[in-house]
């Protein structure tokens, strides 16, 4: 089994910064794509950013130029640096990873989420 654990959420004022981390553990042979999604109250879960194993990155338009996704393959960890935060960034942030285990070539796993609250 594979577990993803997010950390780094919290309360921040508009214009501030937060850095989220997501550590994967378990029977991991290799992690392919990793990503971050977010879900605001009463809304659907939306893509924030993704990063492939070789570092190709994609951002959702609302966060371009403000958020930076990165990963450390040796530590099975990904990060989301969030700068110039806005109240509309308030959401539960979920990390995801596509993982190769001894049993499966690639399966998507999700973390349980970390709350980010941006006050105006």
């Amino acid at each position: 089994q594979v577990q993803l654990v997010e950390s780094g959420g919290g309360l921040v004022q508009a214009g501030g910064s937060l850095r989220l981390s997501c550590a994967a553990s378990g029977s991991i042979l290799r992690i392919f794509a990793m990503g971050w999604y977010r879900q605001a109250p009463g809304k659907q879960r939306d893509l924030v950013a993704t990063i492939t194993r070789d570092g190709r990155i994609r951002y959702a338009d609302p966060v371009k130029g403000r958020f930076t996704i990165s990963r450390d393959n040796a530590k099975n960890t990904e990060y989301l640096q969030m700068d110039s935060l806005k109240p509309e960034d308030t959401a539960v942030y979920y990390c995801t990873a596509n993982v190769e285990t001894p049993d499966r070539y690639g399966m998507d796993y999700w973390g349980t989420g970390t709350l980010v609250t941006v006050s105006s």
Side-chain angles (χ1 to χ4, degrees), residues 50-64:
T50 60
I51 182 168
T52 64
R53 184 172 179 80
D54 59 358
R56 286 172 289 149
I57 290 171
R58 179 165 66 108
Y59 294 103
D61 287 343
V63 307
K64 283 181 180 177

Side-chain angles (χ1 to χ4, degrees), residues 32-46:
F32 300 111
M34 304 185 81
W36 291 93
Y37 286 71
R38 67 185 182 184
Q39 187 167 18
K43 296 189 177 181
Q44 66 181 19
R45 188 175 298 187
D46 292 325

Side-chain angles (χ1 to χ4, degrees), residues 2 4 22 24 27-36 49-57 69-79 95-109:
V2 174
L4 301 181
C22 174
S27 302
I28 297 170
L29 296 180
R30 186 169 42 175
I31 299 178
F32 300 111
M34 304 185 81
W36 291 93
T50 60
I51 182 168
T52 64
R53 184 172 179 80
D54 59 358
R56 286 172 289 149
I57 290 171
I69 189 172
S70 61
R71 63 187 286 174
D72 185 331
N73 291 331
K75 296 181 179 179
N76 290 334
T77 300
E78 66 169 328
Y79 307 95
C95 67
T96 183
N98 187 262
V99 181
E100 180 183 6
T101 65
D103 298 328
R104 292 194 179 189
Y105 178 70
M107 181 172 177
D108 290 332
Y109 292 88

Side-chain angles (χ1 to χ4, degrees), residues 4-10 18-23 36 77-80 82 93 95 112-116:
L4 301 181
V5 178
E6 302 102 336
S7 61
L18 282 175
R19 188 187 193 214
L20 305 183
S21 300
C22 174
W36 291 93
T77 300
E78 66 169 328
Y79 307 95
L80 186 68
M82 304 185 294
Y93 284 71
C95 67
T112 56
T114 186
L115 177 62
V116 172

